Amino acid sequence: ALLASLALASYNNENESSDSAKLQVRLMDAPGDFRSVFLDVRQIEVHLKDEKDPDGWQTLPFQAQTLNVLEYVNGKAALLVNTDFQPGEIKEIRLLLGPDSYVVGKDEQRYDLKTPSGQSSGVKLKLDKVELRQRETFQILLDFDVAKSIVERGNWKPGNDKKERYLLKPVIRVITQDIQGAVRGLVTPTAALPQVLAIRSSITVADTFSTAADASGAFQLSGLPSGTYRLEFYPTTTAPSGQNAYRNAVMPNVTVTNNQTTDVGTVRLQ
């Protein structure tokens, strides 16, 4: 269930006299119901040859690190790789994960994440007709979907070993740069801290994107295909005593256009 593609960014003047291309890899997040989600990324590779050729993998210059992916929402992205690269075609990208991924739940407890396949063969994402050209910058934007990627074990019960509660089954969307539509806005009261869904209703099988408003009430969803969307807002907190309750809100028929940011203004949840 992965949507994979690659982005062509703007011309890089610094490489004007070089025959190389520039390759960037960035990570952003679609949030889930956790305080923190730490992803232990050990290595990033790309595949340059036929899919079945085991010698086609090339390691990118990346410093192994543990990333709190929930820090990269509302248009923020972590720059993982920024390197000169030989022109040519790229078939796949692969993330090799270490054993130290974990989440901090709303109960403030730490729960380890295990993903045996990610630790052995890596998380592979196929790329469709990707070609790096001389003196141009290409960007791969990895959209990590926390809500879909972290799965609670069916036999887990409160009181069990904290290490046994969740599995990590990474679901990652790779966004093309030609898909550059965005939606932004503000919610009030800011204390409602809502989850924000953008549901593309202009296609037969609706596609859903998500984020969360920050402490100032601001939200932004990036990398949206053009189309008509329905925005849905779900408060994650309860109004203080003596105030009107926070309510869900729906904003239908929001138009998203490629290369533009649609500002929907202020959405009131009380």
Side-chain angles (χ1 to χ4, degrees):
L2 301 174
L3 172 64
S5 191
L6 183 73
L8 166 64
S10 59
Y11 179 87
N12 186 344
N13 291 324
E14 295 180 1
N15 281 347
E16 188 170 1
S17 60
S18 171
D19 289 334
S20 66
K22 180 75 75 175
L23 178 63
Q24 297 180 345
V25 180
R26 297 177 184 269
L27 176 73
M28 61 183 290
D29 169 54
D33 194 26
F34 301 96
R35 296 287 187 191
S36 305
V37 177
F38 289 92
L39 196 64
D40 179 16
V41 184
R42 297 297 177 91
Q43 191 165 297
I44 302 177
E45 303 172 342
V46 290
H47 199 281
L48 307 177
K49 299 182 180 180
D50 183 84
E51 175 181 333
K52 297 179 181 179
D53 188 340
D55 298 324
W57 290 103
Q58 179 173 325
T59 301
L60 297 177
F62 167 75
Q63 182 176 357
Q65 55 191 283
T66 302
L67 297 159
N68 181 7
V69 297
L70 290 186
E71 293 181 354
Y72 303 106
V73 297
N74 289 326
K76 298 178 182 177
L79 179 61
L80 306 182
V81 174
N82 184 27
T83 185
D84 290 337
F85 202 84
Q86 71 270 29
E89 192 171 1
I90 295 180
K91 305 287 188 178
E92 294 179 276
I93 184 169
R94 176 166 67 182
L95 305 182
L96 275 72
L97 303 180
D100 298 327
S101 297
Y102 66 94
V103 303
V104 177
K106 290 295 181 68
D107 58 2
E108 304 294 346
Q109 297 296 314
R110 169 175 168 156
Y111 298 92
D112 292 345
L113 293 173
K114 300 300 179 184
T115 172
S117 63
Q119 293 168 21
S120 57
S121 61
V123 180
K124 297 180 183 178
L125 305 171
K126 293 187 182 298
L127 304 173
D128 184 24
K129 297 179 181 179
V130 170
E131 185 175 358
L132 278 67
R133 299 182 179 86
Q134 293 179 3
R135 300 185 298 277
E136 291 181 341
T137 299
F138 292 79
Q139 178 177 268
I140 305 175
L141 182 58
L142 306 175
D143 185 4
F144 183 82
D145 192 325
V146 167
K148 294 179 181 178
S149 298
I150 299 175
V151 180
E152 187 171 84
R153 293 174 184 264
N155 60 353
W156 186 88
K157 295 180 181 179
N160 285 15
D161 189 331
K162 297 184 179 64
K163 297 180 180 180
E164 302 299 322
R165 184 169 185 177
Y166 293 109
L167 294 173
L168 176 61
K169 298 182 177 181
V171 175
I172 301 174
R173 207 168 51 103
V174 184
I175 302 171
T176 68
Q177 186 162 0
D178 354 15
I179 300 178
Q180 294 189 75
V183 170
R184 69 183 177 196
L186 291 170
V187 295
T188 182
T190 59
L193 295 174
Q195 293 284 315
V196 183
L197 301 183
I199 303 169
R200 185 161 55 139
S201 54
S202 55
I203 56 176
T204 302
V205 179
D207 201 0
T208 301
F209 306 84
S210 66
T211 190
D214 62 22
S216 70
F219 68 89
Q220 179 166 320
L221 288 148
S222 302
L224 301 181
S226 297
T228 301
Y229 288 76
R230 182 176 73 257
L231 301 187
E232 298 183 356
F233 302 83
Y234 297 94
T236 62
T237 62
T238 303
S241 177
Q243 292 188 16
N244 293 331
Y246 299 146
R247 58 180 177 81
N248 300 340
V250 176
M251 181 176 290
N253 302 322
V254 175
T255 300
V256 173
T257 304
N258 198 31
N259 297 316
Q260 294 183 21
T261 297
T262 301
D263 193 329
V264 298
T266 300
V267 181
R268 292 174 172 77
L269 304 181
Q270 193 178 58

